[in-house]
Each structure stands twice: as structure tokens, then as C-alpha cells.
Amino acid sequence: MKKIIIGICSIGSGVGQSVVDSCKFFREKVDLIGLGNNPLAYGAFDCDNYAIIPSYYDDQYIVELKRIIKKHKIQILIPGHDDEALLLAKNYETLSNIGAKVLSSPYELVLTCRNKATYAENFYEAANYFVKTYKAIDIKDEIFPLIAKPEQGFASKGIAIITTRNDLEKIQLESGYIYQEIAVPQEHDPSYNAFIKQLTKGNNLQVSEISLQLLFDENSDLVERCATYNTLKGGVPIEVQPYAAIELSGFIKAIKRSLKRLKAFGPINIQGRMTDHGFKVFEINPRFTGITGLRAKLGFNEVEFCIFTLIYNLKIKKLDLSNKYLGIRQVASKKVQKARVKPIKEEDSLQKNILLTGSTGMIGSYLLKQLSDQGHSVSRLYTQEKELRDNKKGYAINDLKSGKINLANFDTIVHLGFARPNSTDNEIHSSIVNSFELATQAAQSAVDQFIFISSQSVYGFSSNEKFTENCKTNPQNSYARAKVNVEDHIKSITRLSNETRFTVLRLSSILAPFDSNLRHEAYSSMIVSLLKNKTITLSTPNRLISKIDFHDAVDAINHFTNHSPSSVYEVVNIAPTKSLSLLETMKNVAQELGKTEDMILTDSIENEEPNNLVISADKARQQYGWESKISIDETSAFFKKHFGY
């Protein structure tokens, strides 16, 4: 299934961030586009991309939103603010016509939910459960205290306590207020005494509430529900405890009839309080809430359910709010790279602090020089103590493990250093351990970009398939399995945090004059044999394997270091545009080196089905503008020059 592209509106709001947090549990299935008018919105940096759009109070909001939808091919829009939800619902058809489905109930229902004065009238099936609403002219002294709130208010703003006739007269000077009975907590509620004490002083102590979240399908049938008891501070939930929805069964039975009649779809949040006279409701919001992400952590991921089950009719894991845990909401901080702040362009900050592993190999040494020549500050991390002793400058892997390296100082980590295919099991295991540690610490330190150099060997072999990034991995040896293990670990990290963007580059087999490694690389060894006028024998002449010149490999890594993909986790094949058979390759080499083709012998079994390994580089070319440049003739010429022939 292709990734679903989701636009999260009001990305800097508590609701927007809560939706983002919920999406972290299924991050590999979606691309998130943050939408808002604040270039420093916290949630924007948790998305794959984000766009600056006008305020929803701006006349050009819908016009600009339509442009952004088309540009990013957004399929689902999720509102993050009450006023915005109303506007999106009003323009539901317009937005649907360009391919974006608004995750919202109909406009009429959204509008109805805004008017608290008419709750009992419009949701008449559940009228007895709403706090009583009074007109100013009908208020008698004996029913004080009351709560005054704006008719179209939200998020507990503009609320006042009316305890006397004088209080009422002051509020009446301001238009648009309604007057309601106060839902006093039950006497055994932990917040009761504090609530009553503040009430006598004319204060509305927002210390607790019950939040009921209902989910409705396309037929407006109630399909999922959960409830929590929330401890509040300043009207904001700071402690969230699962609450038995069965305690609210009478209300749920009544309100679902109202919402069925009013054609509810998706999330409906209802806030109330359990009083000595039963459950009393004071607010309805047809959207997700600021604790949606926390409910997801407790097992009730309503965002995932709405996207995949309600919209795409796919089965997902059962929603089950665990009563083993409670949720707490504290303060979070985030580090972001300045170049990622809109509208500042990435090109405005070209120089990077880079940490490079594998700098002693041929690819690593060439890459180190290229990056340094481009003005980057490159530090080296050695996975073997001997390398550090020989080179003096840099860090050893034990420095990383002991916490001596502050990875927060680096913009990019390029992890090239890894055991070779012919290494021992212990060496390969060490590479896995080192890679896990480096990737984990990179995420913890919010390093902006992490590039892991993997291998085409993760795909296994095939007689006719050309492997793309979407193909399943099928590693055939311990080296390939090690690469897959690291890839899987990195992917799991992105489900927990996406402040670091991970790119996995699956390199084709490298053609290079690896002096100390020639005996392990058959193609390179055969090129050297031809240089020395030695006859070579091809046991599988028709075999196709993607082979890439090491200059191209260096160029590809350099390209992705300077052009970070927008996705939090991206896999890209690095391969030549065309893969030749072993026989075709060696014939071209012989011709370039001025050798005769009779130096090439074949020893093939008739009708043998070759074990091919060919990967596609279409994604690298089409999405990221990189393609191989070095031909096999140029590779042969480099070998000739390198060895002095």
C-alpha cells in the first residue's frame, strides 16, 4: 500500500501536535504535511514537510489551501482548531473535488456543536444530560451560582462565575454570553473540596472533567468509544486516567441517536463531569483533542482507526484503552536545524558539521576529501582503536559508548564504516552493535540527518526480478542479515521520534582497486588479471549483478549528504542505469585495456538459470536527481592508471 498523505492543520496547536503524536505509531504508512502560519510551529518539525498558509480568518485561506493540497497531493485533511474545523467542514465538497477528504462531521453538525445554548434543543434525545441553560431574564437569585461562557467559545476561554445579581449585570454588558448551571463534582471526587472553596470566591476551578471520545462510521453508527477522567491545570489535562465507559452508558445510548440523526462522522469529543445528579455535559467538539496522542499511547489510537478503518475500510488492531496505565502531560522541548525553518531555505546554510565513519577505506577517504573541499567540517569516528592510533585525529567507538561525544554538535552523520562481507561473525556482530548505538544516540541528540550505507545484498538473488526499494528483503548471508538488522533498528527509532531523518542508501556492488581486498571482489580481481595479461574464466558468464564504480558511490553519498530527503525514513537504491552481464562487462574491460577477447574463457552449464542481483535506481534519479555517471570503460581506464599500466 502506498503511503497516505495527510495534511494536519493548525500544526502548532495542541490538537495538531496530538494528531502527529498518534501518527508516530504507524509512521511508515503515512507522509505528514504540517499546515499553519507559524514557521516555528513545534509540530511542523515532526512532519515530513510543512507549508505556510494564511490564517483561517484570512479571505485567501481556502484558495491557498487548495494550492497546497494539489502541490503535496494531500489525501486527508485533519483540522486542529474549532474555527478551522468549521471552515473546512463548510468547504468539504470543494476540497473533496480536488482529492482531499476532510476528517470531519458535516458543517451543520459542527455549527450545532459551537452553540452551547441550544445543546438540549438540538441533541434532544440526550437533553436531560446537559447542564441547564438560562436566559438572563429568567435567572432568579436562588439559582446562583452560575457559569457564564461565550456561546461560540472553546477551550474554556472567556468563562466567568456569576454569584450575585451584580456579577450578572456586568456580564450582560458584553454580548454573546450564555448562562449555565455549574456541574459540581460528586462529594467523593478528590477535587470536590477545592472546587467548592474556590466557587464561594467566584472562581471556576477547572480541576477535573470526564472526556468521552466517540467514533462514528460513514453511516453515522457509533463504532468505538473510550472515556478518561482528566485532572486539569488551567483548563488543560495534565493527568489522564481511563474511566469505565459503562458508567456513561445511559448518556451514550441517548447521544448516539442524536448524532446518528445529525450524520456524525469520525471523532466526537464530549466533555462533562459526574455530579451527584449524574453525568452532566457542558461541551461537544467534533474533532480530535489535545489528549488524542496520549490516548494512543494508552491503546486507543483513534487517528489510526479513523484513517484506515473509517476512510479506507482496512482492519487494524483493536482499540483498547488500557486501564493498567495513566497518562501524564509535562513540558517538551525540541531542537531543530535552522535551515528547516520556513521560509528560510536550506541553501542559506550550506556548511555542515559532519561525523563520518569508515573514512579509512577507499570510498570513505574520497568522500572525506570531497566533503572537506565543499567547506563542511568533517570529524571522523573510528570503529577500531588501531585506526585512531594511526590517524591521531577523531574519535574512537569507545568514546561514543562512554558518552564522550556530544552528537548534538553534528548536523549529519554518515555511517559508512561496517564489516566487509568476508569478515568473521564476531566482526559483523560488532558492526551491528556499533550501528545500533550510533543510530540510537543520533536520535536522542536530535541530529538532523543520519545516512546509513547499506547494501544491495539485502534483496537476495533472483533469476529475473529487478529489485526496487519496495521489494521485500531476503538476505542470504550473515553480512546481508546484519545490514537488514541495522535498517530495521533505524526504522523502529523513527516510530518513536522523527526529529532525526534517516536515509538508508543500498549500494550496488562496488568496482574499485581495493588493494587489500581484491581477493574478495571477483570483478575487480578479474580486471586486474586482464591488466596483467592473465586469462580469466567466467563460471557464470550470463549472470547479471548491478556493479557501480566507486566514484559514483562517493558521488551518491555526497549528494544525499548535501540534499537531505524530506521523509523521516527513506530507502534509496544506488545503482548504475544499466546492469551488464559478467561476460559483457569483461568484454568491455578487455576492449578498453587493449586486450583480446580470447583471454576470456567461459565455463557455463547449459541452460543454467543465473543467480542475478539487479536493483533499480529509478527512485534516486526521479525523486532525488541523482544518477550514475561512470561507464565501465572509464572504470577500466582508472584501474589501468591506478596500477601504472
Side-chain angles (χ1 to χ4, degrees):
M1 180 180 178
K2 291 180 65 176
K3 286 187 175 182
I4 300 170
I5 303 174
I6 301 172
I8 303 177
C9 303
S10 294
I11 192 59
S13 69
V15 175
Q17 182 63 47
S18 195
V19 171
V20 171
D21 291 342
S22 298
C23 291
K24 291 177 181 178
F25 291 88
F26 51 95
R27 202 63 181 78
E28 71 281 1
K29 299 179 182 178
V30 294
D31 278 338
L32 303 182
I33 312 296
L35 305 173
N37 59 4
N38 179 8
L40 290 174
Y42 185 96
F45 301 95
D46 280 335
C47 295
D48 297 288
N49 205 339
Y50 76 105
I52 301 296
I53 60 174
S55 164
Y56 33 81
Y57 300 119
D58 192 297
D59 291 340
Q60 293 300 305
Y61 173 79
I62 291 297
V63 173
E64 185 63 15
L65 179 60
K66 289 169 63 177
R67 185 186 70 81
I68 295 298
I69 289 170
K70 292 177 182 178
K71 177 181 178 180
H72 292 282
K73 300 178 181 178
I74 293 173
Q75 297 162 275
I76 297 175
L77 275 175
I78 299 178
H81 186 279
D82 291 273
D83 289 344
E84 189 173 43
L86 187 66
L87 184 58
L88 293 178
K90 187 175 183 178
N91 288 274
Y92 181 92
E93 291 298 330
T94 299
L95 300 173
S96 293
N97 290 338
I98 59 172
K101 182 178 179 64
V102 180
L103 186 45
S104 168
S105 290
Y107 173 73
E108 291 76 14
L109 175 55
V110 178
L111 185 61
T112 297
C113 291
R114 297 294 301 275
N115 194 341
K116 300 178 179 67
T118 60
Y119 276 0
E121 176 184 343
N122 289 309
F123 303 102
Y124 54 80
E125 292 90 344
N128 293 335
Y129 290 93
F130 293 101
V131 291
K132 291 180 181 180
T133 300
Y134 300 92
K135 294 180 180 179
I137 195 172
D138 298 327
I139 296 176
K140 308 297 182 184
D141 289 350
E142 59 266 22
I143 64 175
F144 288 131
L146 296 173
I147 188 168
K149 59 177 67 174
E151 286 188 25
Q152 301 294 327
F154 56 87
S156 303
K157 293 183 178 180
I159 288 177
I161 297 297
I162 309 296
T163 59
T164 67
R165 181 67 56 180
N166 287 337
D167 293 338
L168 177 62
E169 290 173 356
K170 289 178 183 178
I171 288 291
Q172 281 184 276
L173 295 176
E174 302 181 41
S175 61
Y177 271 81
I178 63 171
Y179 310 95
Q180 294 180 332
E181 68 171 315
I182 296 174
V184 178
Q186 293 173 298
E187 284 194 42
H188 65 265
D189 189 292
S191 65
Y192 175 80
N193 290 331
F195 187 92
I196 294 298
K197 183 177 180 180
Q198 290 299 315
L199 192 61
T200 60
K201 297 179 181 181
N203 298 325
N204 177 38
L205 188 62
Q206 299 178 60
V207 290
S208 67
E209 68 182 14
I210 290 175
S211 177
L212 174 64
Q213 194 76 351
L214 307 176
L215 303 180
F216 291 84
D217 65 14
E218 60 183 3
N219 298 316
S220 298
D221 289 325
L222 177 61
V223 287
E224 289 288 351
R225 73 203 73 186
C226 80
T228 57
Y229 175 91
N230 304 336
T231 302
L232 309 178
K233 184 175 183 180
V236 177
I238 58 170
E239 297 174 7
V240 177
Q241 303 179 51
Y243 187 88
I246 194 170
E247 299 289 334
L248 310 172
S249 58
F251 169 73
I252 293 173
K253 184 177 180 180
I255 197 65
K256 74 177 183 181
R257 293 201 300 270
S258 297
L259 293 168
K260 171 81 169 178
R261 171 173 52 81
L262 295 169
K263 303 187 185 319
F265 175 76
I268 301 289
N269 180 253
I270 297 169
Q271 295 172 35
R273 189 172 288 133
M274 191 61 74
T275 73
D276 287 334
H277 303 288
F279 184 53
K280 290 294 181 179
V281 174
F282 42 76
E283 191 164 340
I284 301 178
N285 294 304
R287 56 163 170 77
F288 296 120
T289 77
I291 63 169
T292 286
L294 195 48
R295 284 195 292 263
K297 291 183 178 181
L298 296 175
F300 193 89
N301 196 328
E302 60 210 65
V303 177
E304 182 178 24
F305 183 85
C306 287
I307 292 170
F308 294 102
T309 300
L310 299 189
I311 295 180
Y312 287 96
N313 199 30
L314 299 173
K315 290 185 178 180
I316 62 167
K317 57 183 177 292
K318 180 178 174 56
L319 298 187
D320 184 17
L321 191 71
S322 174
N323 59 12
K324 294 181 179 179
Y325 305 95
L326 56 82
I328 56 175
R329 302 172 82 205
Q330 301 289 338
V331 177
S333 300
K334 184 185 294 296
K335 165 197 163 187
V336 297
Q337 189 183 39
K338 288 183 178 179
R340 289 178 60 192
V341 178
K342 306 288 186 177
I344 300 172
K345 298 180 180 178
E346 290 186 11
E347 294 77 38
D348 294 339
S349 180
L350 294 175
Q351 188 173 9
K352 296 181 179 181
N353 290 328
I354 299 172
L355 183 64
L356 173 66
T357 71
S359 61
T360 58
M362 179 166 280
I363 293 178
S365 60
Y366 272 69
L367 179 63
L368 174 63
K369 184 178 187 306
Q370 275 195 16
L371 294 173
S372 299
D373 289 345
Q374 291 166 359
H376 300 301
S377 175
V378 186
S379 300
R380 285 162 277 183
L381 175 61
Y382 300 105
T383 54
Q384 295 181 20
E385 294 289 341
K386 178 181 181 297
E387 293 175 329
L388 181 60
R389 290 196 301 271
D390 293 345
N391 293 277
K392 304 301 181 184
K393 294 181 180 180
Y395 304 99
I397 192 65
N398 285 336
D399 293 332
L400 177 75
K401 294 178 179 178
S402 61
K404 294 180 180 179
I405 307 176
N406 185 359
L407 293 185
N409 292 330
F410 295 100
D411 304 302
T412 300
I413 296 175
V414 180
H415 184 29
L416 178 62
F418 207 84
R420 299 183 185 277
N422 59 294
S423 299
T424 66
D425 287 344
N426 284 339
E427 290 171 333
I428 291 175
H429 175 72
S430 293
S431 288
I432 296 174
V433 172
N434 294 340
S435 300
F436 279 21
E437 184 69 23
L438 184 59
T440 301
Q441 287 201 31
Q444 291 171 336
S445 302
V447 175
D448 191 62
Q449 181 186 18
F450 187 103
I451 300 175
F452 173 60
I453 310 305
S454 189
S455 165
Q456 69 178 6
S457 63
V458 301
Y459 293 115
F461 302 97
S462 171
S463 59
N464 54 19
E465 185 174 13
K466 189 174 186 180
F467 295 105
T468 68
E469 292 83 351
N470 293 325
C471 292
K472 291 184 178 180
T473 57
N474 183 28
Q476 301 294 305
N477 54 51
S478 57
Y479 171 80
R481 285 190 288 273
K483 292 288 189 180
V484 170
N485 285 341
V486 176
E487 289 187 20
D488 288 344
H489 177 70
I490 288 173
K491 192 171 184 179
S492 69
I493 291 175
T494 63
R495 296 192 181 104
L496 300 176
S497 172
N498 61 1
E499 293 184 63
T500 298
R501 300 189 174 210
F502 289 91
T503 304
V504 173
L505 300 182
R506 291 175 176 166
L507 289 189
S508 298
S509 180
I510 304 297
L511 283 172
F514 298 122
D515 298 308
S516 62
N517 195 46
L518 283 177
R519 64 183 182 276
H520 306 298
E521 213 302 299
Y523 280 56
S524 297
S525 296
M526 285 186 277
I527 293 175
V528 174
S529 293
L530 289 175
L531 270 172
K532 296 178 178 179
N533 291 316
K534 293 182 179 179
T535 299
I536 60 174
T537 301
L538 312 182
S539 58
T540 54
N542 297 320
R543 189 183 192 191
L544 292 170
I545 296 183
S546 294
K547 291 283 182 176
I548 192 170
D549 187 279
F550 84 95
H551 293 94
D552 270 336
V554 172
D555 183 65
I557 300 170
N558 179 64
H559 179 88
F560 281 88
T561 302
N562 286 290
H563 302 86
S564 174
S566 59
S567 297
V568 173
Y569 178 78
E570 189 70 282
V571 176
V572 184
N573 289 340
I574 302 300
T577 53
K578 182 180 180 181
S579 294
L580 303 175
S581 69
L582 175 56
L583 181 59
E584 290 172 323
T585 299
M586 291 306 150
K587 282 184 176 180
N588 286 340
V589 171
Q591 184 176 357
E592 177 62 29
L593 298 180
K595 310 299 180 181
T596 59
E597 289 190 10
D598 60 4
M599 294 176 62
I600 304 173
L601 305 178
T602 61
D603 183 22
S604 62
I605 301 173
E606 191 174 358
N607 298 324
E608 178 188 15
E609 194 171 82
N611 239 359
N612 297 332
L613 179 48
V614 179
I615 64 174
S616 168
D618 289 347
K619 182 175 181 178
R621 183 179 69 256
Q622 295 170 4
Q623 293 189 28
Y624 298 109
W626 180 88
E627 61 182 340
S628 63
K629 304 175 183 65
I630 309 299
S631 67
I632 187 62
D633 295 341
E634 291 171 296
T635 299
S636 303
F638 183 82
F639 269 67
K640 187 175 182 179
K641 179 181 178 181
H642 180 83
F643 289 109
Y645 284 89

